Amino acid sequence: MKTITTTADLAEFCAQAAQHPYVTVDTEFLRERTYYSKLCLVQLAMPGTDDSGAVLLDPLSDGISLEPLYDLFRDTSVVKVFHAARQDLEIFFVDAQVFPEPLFDTQVAAMVCGFGEQVGYETLVRKICHEGVDKSSRFTDWSRRPLSEAQKKYALADVTHLRQIYEFLAEKLEESGRARWVKEELTILTSPDTYITAPQDAWKRVKTRTNSPKFLGIVRELAAFREDYAQKRNVPRNRVYKDDALVELASLKPTNHEELSRARLLLREARKGDIAEGILAGIAKGVKAKPEDLPKPDRSREKLQVNPALADLLRVLLKAKTEQAGVAAKLIAPASDLDAIAGGMRNVPALKGWRLEVFGTDALRLCEGKIALTANGNDVQVVEV
């Protein structure tokens, strides 16, 4: 198996790949000790039935540039095929602000084609390729060199089987007319907003037991400082301080180092230096915030008057519709969205795009009393009222 370690060899491979309708792509990376993923390996394969068109790209090689790969990503005549692409795409976006175009994600396609919710790569290899995948190298250190033969074999299998999986799913989508559904889903994966966490918005990811604007004002400042600190130093946000410590600090509101030392959940490293100063400054800023500048949490769902019987009927309808269409139910609507629809909310994903066709139209008609559900043997059917 070939490993690319120079820009010239990468450019040669990408020029060959550009002559084909698609190329399969995967990555190996580390993120345990950093904020941003450290790219350790890229696997690539052109169409074929053997390993001759498959290579390993070593991004840790001295002097190598990934620009030929990014040029291939920009080439709209070649489909770039990934499985569960989100983390891979984040790496390339952070590094070069580039997204592969056009993109095909076999996990999304498999959900649309009825393989279940968030189906794993090994499952697709088994069901479509009728082979197994050696998982023994999954959790190895991909940054160490040289890579073992077992690591190389494992990594290459992530793109060689992917060729057959892609061709199978692409044909299924063409036959069913659902390629548009997958394209709609992938717009989220190719949006910069998916991968950018602005420090001032980081508080929205912190779970709290209260929605008091004054309390959330402090949470906002503490989360913003943590996010900014983690991004600039490329360390995991939890290495700065964890969410439970953040919430504890927002409750205690320490004003000096002595009071800060009483926090039970704060890491030792955060009780001094830049982190401690940032915490105290963040709390002071949050406490002094004007009422009109405090966070305003979305409470629209709290005010909903959910009809539990209607919500249960929507669950039955969703199950019937997804079984009929062969689509994963969670891909269309989580339980919280069904409750929202039953409570009168209409600005939910289940009532937009292809989901409206499969489920949303009849969901609205059910809410309006225009249809009913009836059992016919093991099947649930929609009847006009």
Side-chain angles (χ1 to χ4, degrees), residues 41-60:
L41 194 68
V42 182
Q43 305 96 283
L44 301 155
M46 295 180 281
T49 56
D50 56 25
D51 293 347
S52 60
V55 299
L56 301 177
L57 164 60
D58 187 353
L60 302 182

Side-chain angles (χ1 to χ4, degrees), residues 80-362:
K80 273 63 71 171
V81 182
F82 292 75
H83 179 82
R86 192 190 186 287
Q87 293 187 80
D88 303 316
L89 298 188
E90 181 178 15
I91 292 172
F92 298 129
F93 175 73
V94 169
D95 184 56
Q97 291 74 55
V98 63
F99 288 115
E101 185 183 358
L103 170 70
F104 190 98
D105 189 322
T106 55
Q107 185 178 69
V108 175
M111 293 172 72
V112 169
C113 290
F115 280 85
E117 299 170 358
Q118 296 182 323
V119 60
Y121 180 69
E122 294 85 357
T123 300
L124 293 181
V125 172
R126 185 176 67 254
K127 291 186 175 182
I128 295 175
C129 305
H130 307 293
E131 295 189 38
V133 175
D134 181 6
K135 304 178 183 179
S136 59
S137 297
R138 172 178 290 180
F139 299 112
T140 57
D141 185 349
W142 293 99
S143 67
R144 297 186 63 179
R145 296 294 184 270
L147 296 173
S148 68
E149 290 303 310
Q151 283 179 303
K152 293 179 180 179
K153 183 179 179 181
Y154 168 87
L156 210 61
D158 282 345
V159 288
T160 51
H161 295 308
L162 194 55
R163 298 175 296 193
Q164 186 177 347
I165 292 170
Y166 164 67
E167 292 176 1
F168 177 88
L169 293 174
E171 183 178 352
K172 285 287 187 183
L173 292 172
E174 188 67 27
E175 292 174 355
S176 63
R178 296 180 180 180
R180 176 175 56 83
W181 298 8
V182 175
K183 188 175 181 180
E184 281 185 31
E185 294 303 297
L186 296 184
T187 57
I188 298 174
L189 287 179
T190 54
S191 169
D193 292 341
T194 302
Y195 307 100
I196 296 175
T197 301
Q200 282 302 109
D201 292 331
W203 68 276
K204 298 175 183 178
R205 304 173 58 170
V206 180
K207 294 182 179 179
T208 64
R209 293 183 178 181
T210 175
N211 281 330
S212 163
K214 290 184 178 180
F215 179 79
L216 291 179
I218 301 173
V219 169
R220 179 182 62 188
E221 299 307 326
L222 289 173
F225 166 73
R226 178 179 67 173
E227 203 72 19
D228 183 66
Y229 185 96
Q231 290 178 356
K232 289 180 177 177
R233 291 163 178 78
N234 196 22
V235 296
R237 62 175 67 89
N238 282 346
R239 292 286 182 92
V240 185
Y241 41 83
K242 297 182 179 180
D243 282 2
D244 55 358
L246 189 156
V247 173
E248 180 189 39
L249 290 167
S251 298
L252 294 174
K253 299 187 285 294
T255 59
N256 54 53
H257 287 80
E258 181 181 352
E259 293 177 0
L260 182 64
S261 66
R262 299 171 188 166
R264 296 182 303 107
L265 303 175
L266 197 61
L267 297 173
R268 182 181 303 173
E269 294 79 6
R271 298 172 184 265
K272 57 186 178 181
D274 291 343
I275 298 179
E277 295 299 331
I279 290 172
L280 294 175
I283 292 173
K285 184 177 179 181
V287 169
K288 295 176 182 177
K290 297 178 181 179
E292 61 269 25
D293 295 332
L294 292 173
K296 296 175 178 59
D298 182 5
R299 293 177 173 171
S300 57
R301 296 204 176 197
E302 295 178 7
K303 300 176 182 178
L304 292 176
Q305 299 296 318
V306 178
N307 181 333
L310 179 56
D312 287 342
L313 285 175
L314 287 169
R315 286 167 170 75
V316 175
L317 177 66
L318 177 63
K319 188 173 188 301
K321 288 291 184 178
T322 52
E323 287 182 353
Q324 179 183 352
V327 182
K330 190 175 288 186
L331 185 63
I332 291 183
S336 58
D337 280 4
L338 297 179
D339 289 340
I341 294 172
M345 185 175 285
R346 297 296 178 257
N347 186 28
V348 296
L351 302 180
K352 300 176 182 178
W354 68 269
R355 292 175 174 82
L356 182 65
E357 301 172 25
V358 177
F359 168 73
T361 298
D362 276 346

